[in-house]
Amino acid sequence: MKKYKGYLIDLDGTTYYGTRRIPSAEAFIHRLNQRNDAYVFLTNNATRIPQEIVNHLKNDYDLPVSQENVYSSTEALLSYMKENFRDKNIFVVGERALHHQVKQAGFRIVNDAQADVVVQGLNRQTNYEELATAAMAIRNGAAFLVTNADQTIPTEKGIMPSSGAITAFLEVASGKQALVAGKPNPLIVEAALKKLKLSANEVLLIGDKYETDILAGLKAGVDTLLVLTGVTQAEEVAQLPTPPTYVLNDLSEWEFN
Ligand SMILES: [Mg+2]
């Protein structure tokens, strides 16, 4: 196994599985802390601000990590927006966390279809008026940027619609395609590399889902490690179109060099 300077690590299915802990993953993170290796948790979740993710990891999984160790699709999108849409008016379709982060990044939030950019994530309180305004803004020429295109979200009540379902609504209503920051798009990986100040060949991306984690890594040109603790199952591995660099049952099998 190659020696890496940094690690990009998925959360659900990789670091924990819902509310179930994955001891081998926790031991791996503790090991990274001891070694002082650079790492960030790479998450598509745009409904929690980084501090909430840090608290969740600390309180529920005993992982003492800092905000520096968390990188979400929202942060990737904001980093992209700072480069391409500075000083623009933003219409937000999203929850409190997304509004907060867009404002905190120095952008002006507006509430009408004259916006220059529509930023969309999951909003469990959305309504027709909000979606109609967003669709009209996009029709008027606003850029259409999306945190993550996950279609569904598992909850106690069952499989519920996620951010991607709202994106599909807006794409149909506006006739335009969104630019998506989250995995499987490479934007989040590239933005995380910038944050870590590392290049693609120095980093390993670790995830449990081939269609999001591993594809994001492949597109960004970083080595990938598929762990079989989450979505992708052992019997699927032989059929994967482009195999990950490594496939392990869990992170206790990783050998540091
Ligand atoms: Mg996962």
Side-chain angles (χ1 to χ4, degrees):
M1 289 163 181
K2 192 180 142 181
K3 184 173 164 50
Y4 296 94
K5 286 191 179 162
Y7 299 83
L8 309 175
I9 309 164
D10 174 55
L11 284 174
D12 206 354
T14 302
T15 305
Y16 51 78
Y17 191 95
T19 52
R20 185 158 57 76
R21 297 172 69 161
I22 305 179
S24 52
E26 290 179 24
F28 178 82
I29 306 298
H30 290 302
R31 199 67 205 286
L32 293 182
N33 283 334
Q34 281 162 10
R35 294 168 53 90
N36 240 329
D37 284 343
Y39 68 94
V40 289
F41 293 104
L42 213 57
T43 174
N44 273 3
N45 188 328
T47 59
R48 281 182 169 148
I49 60 168
Q51 188 56 49
E52 290 170 322
I53 295 171
V54 166
N55 294 344
H56 177 58
L57 289 170
K58 211 177 274 178
N59 301 336
D60 298 338
Y61 306 100
D62 215 8
L63 291 171
V65 303
S66 78
Q67 272 197 51
E68 282 301 296
N69 299 113
V70 175
Y71 202 68
S72 71
S73 59
T74 304
E75 289 172 273
L77 192 56
L78 289 170
S79 143
Y80 176 82
M81 285 166 62
K82 282 178 188 168
E83 282 173 27
N84 297 282
F85 297 101
R86 205 164 254 302
D87 301 322
K88 299 293 185 195
N89 293 324
I90 318 291
F91 184 85
V92 178
V93 178
E95 299 188 2
R96 188 184 47 81
L98 187 58
H99 279 267
H100 174 79
Q101 283 173 282
V102 168
K103 223 178 276 174
Q104 197 112 75
F107 292 99
R108 201 177 316 112
I109 295 183
V110 296
N111 288 310
D112 57 59
Q114 305 308 312
D116 306 303
V117 181
V118 170
V119 174
Q120 182 250 305
L122 173 60
N123 184 6
R124 285 167 287 195
Q125 285 84 44
T126 193
N127 57 41
Y128 183 81
E129 194 190 342
E130 180 179 66
L131 297 178
T133 306
M136 282 161 66
I138 298 163
R139 272 193 185 276
N140 289 344
F144 181 16
L145 310 179
V146 167
T147 56
N148 60 305
D150 298 59
Q151 293 164 356
T152 56
I153 184 167
T155 75
E156 318 77 66
K157 293 183 210 156
I159 306 281
M160 307 276 272
S162 187
S163 176
I166 298 177
T167 305
F169 183 106
L170 292 177
E171 287 185 337
V172 171
S174 69
K176 302 252 176 72
Q177 262 215 303
L179 180 119
V180 181
K183 302 173 277 187
N185 284 24
L187 198 150
I188 187 170
V189 177
E190 287 155 5
L193 290 176
K194 265 187 215 162
K195 179 184 161 113
L196 287 173
K197 297 191 175 69
L198 293 173
S199 53
N201 61 9
E202 297 174 312
V203 163
L204 179 67
L205 185 148
I206 306 171
D208 69 297
K209 189 171 175 184
Y210 183 81
E211 292 77 15
T212 52
D213 301 314
I214 304 305
L215 282 187
L218 286 170
K219 288 182 199 168
V222 309
D223 282 1
T224 55
L225 162 54
L226 176 69
V227 282
L228 302 173
T229 50
V231 173
T232 303
Q233 300 293 306
E235 56 270 24
E236 297 170 60
V237 171
Q239 279 99 55
L240 298 177
T242 308
T245 318
Y246 313 94
V247 180
L248 299 177
N249 290 310
D250 66 55
L251 284 168
S252 69
E253 296 175 358
W254 180 256
E255 287 161 27
F256 285 98
N257 277 304

